[in-house]
Amino acid sequence: MPITSPIKQLPQSLKYALAIVLAYTTLLLMDLHQNHEHNSTICIFKNLTHIPCPGCGLGRATLALFNGNFIQSFHYHILGIPLTIFVLISFFLLLFDAIRGKDHFVSKMNQLITWKVYILFLLLTLFSWYINIQRGV
């Protein structure tokens, strides 16, 4: 009889919700340990190239947003506010599905995400990356 992992037995929606919690916790903890006064970063890409990566500033943007500093959040990363709102809404919908024992949100998202969405996401990422480079985030 094969041994199965307890994680494999969890509903897919709960796995995604837990992944969101882990990702945001890691992001915020990493950002809290940065020395913002000396513009230091743990970003390997930025440390090697001296150019901010497409995600540079998202942790600071999230922290600023959670502290009610919307303008500062927007300055750190222009996608910080919409991304955080999307992730929070997704988290609660995933949690709701997990409580009900269904994966409705996951299947709906799989239907909605098409190549057009990937292209839009790529263009938004490139645009925000350009803005981050200009601002020196």
Side-chain angles (χ1 to χ4, degrees), residues 30 34 41-53 56:
M30 288 188 321
Q34 288 187 36
T41 181
I42 59 170
C43 178
I44 296 169
F45 184 85
K46 187 171 183 179
N47 285 330
L48 290 175
T49 65
H50 302 289
I51 299 169
C53 78
C56 279

Side-chain angles (χ1 to χ4, degrees), residues 70-87:
F70 298 101
I71 294 171
Q72 189 178 25
S73 176
F74 186 76
H75 173 74
Y76 285 137
H77 200 288
I78 63 171
L79 297 178
I81 294 172
L83 182 64
T84 301
I85 291 169
F86 174 77
V87 168

